[in-house]
Amino acid sequence: MAITLNNKMDAIVKQYTLHTKIIPCSVDTSTFTPSPNKSNSNIKKIIFPSDRSRTVKNYPLFENVIKILRNKYNIQCSTTEIKNMSRTEVAALYNSSDLMIMTSISEGSPQVIKEAMACNLPIISTNVGDVSVLLKGVKNSAVSPSAKAEELAELAQQSLNNEIKGIEGREKIKQLKLDDYSIGESLFNIYHQLISPIK
């Protein structure tokens, strides 16, 4: 039995074994929980969900998106990268921010997306890993059909203007059963089947 993170990975592994199961990493919904104390500042706080020095996270694309938001859409915004923070500090950042923009070149099943969803933080992302599945139908969140700064910026301004309809991210996490307990139960069931005597 092989456990994979998303459909693309699963298709690759199925070339070698038909016994696969997609089980993404879970999110700690007790640490990552919404806060009612959102800021009403005119300056929008936007998160870059990694260390900008990591090439695969594509910070130059993020930077271009921010420039378009400022110059074309006249959106005042500040940015913060997730770097050298504890999980508690990251959760506090999600709850004090207005939007996350992921510009990665590739991902598996990114934890930052699930953590932000658990805090009801809107997300705009490139189409990597399982992000399109995670964000489908989520309020003020979307996946760009291409990795173009103009398209990401247009979606970001729609999000910041509360124009994208859907359910809260935390509700989607519950629907997908991506909390620690549900994922733990799925893993337990697989290992229990594997070690059970054949009858």
Side-chain angles (χ1 to χ4, degrees):
M1 171 67 72
I3 296 173
T4 61
L5 295 177
N6 58 50
N7 288 325
K8 185 175 181 180
M9 289 181 175
D10 204 62
I12 293 170
V13 174
K14 271 189 165 58
Q15 298 175 59
Y16 306 98
T17 175
L18 295 178
H19 303 289
T20 67
K21 180 74 174 178
I22 299 174
I23 302 182
C25 296
S26 64
V27 60
D28 178 0
T29 51
S30 59
T31 297
F32 295 96
T33 187
S35 167
N37 301 317
K38 288 282 187 182
S39 170
N40 291 319
S41 171
N42 289 328
I43 299 176
K44 301 300 182 182
K45 297 179 180 179
I46 300 177
I47 297 173
F48 178 67
S50 186
D51 179 340
R52 68 178 69 186
S53 67
R54 295 184 62 192
T55 305
V56 73
K57 303 300 181 179
N58 203 357
Y59 182 76
L61 176 57
F62 175 86
E63 201 170 29
N64 286 337
V65 174
I66 296 301
K67 286 179 181 176
I68 294 169
L69 287 175
R70 288 171 174 158
N71 298 330
K72 180 177 179 179
Y73 297 106
N74 298 315
I75 294 173
Q76 298 182 62
C77 53
S78 63
T79 64
T80 305
E81 63 182 316
I82 296 179
K83 180 181 179 181
N84 299 326
M85 293 182 180
S86 68
R87 304 325 293 157
T88 302
E89 289 171 333
V90 172
L93 177 63
Y94 292 151
N95 280 310
S96 65
S97 299
D98 299 287
L99 179 66
M100 173 186 288
I101 300 178
M102 174 175 275
T103 51
S104 295
I105 297 168
S106 66
E107 293 283 348
S109 180
Q111 284 302 100
V112 287
I113 296 292
K114 289 173 278 189
E115 291 168 355
M117 289 173 67
C119 293
N120 288 334
L121 177 67
I123 302 156
I124 300 300
S125 178
T126 48
N127 190 10
V128 289
D130 63 352
V131 176
S132 62
V133 175
L134 295 171
L135 296 184
K136 185 177 181 180
V138 174
K139 182 180 180 182
N140 290 325
S141 297
V143 172
S144 174
S146 75
K148 294 180 180 178
E150 293 81 5
E151 290 182 354
L152 287 160
E154 182 177 358
L155 290 171
Q157 70 86 19
Q158 289 174 8
S159 172
L160 291 169
N161 287 313
N162 197 32
E163 296 175 1
I164 303 174
K165 306 302 180 184
I167 62 173
E168 295 287 4
R170 191 174 181 86
E171 180 61 29
K172 185 66 181 288
I173 290 290
K174 290 179 181 178
Q175 288 183 7
L176 294 174
K177 296 184 177 181
L178 292 174
D179 58 282
D180 283 347
Y181 179 83
S182 297
I183 293 296
E185 191 173 43
S186 295
L187 289 169
F188 173 82
N189 289 336
I190 286 176
Y191 285 111
H192 185 264
Q193 291 171 15
L194 291 173
I195 65 174
S196 295
I198 299 175
K199 296 181 181 180

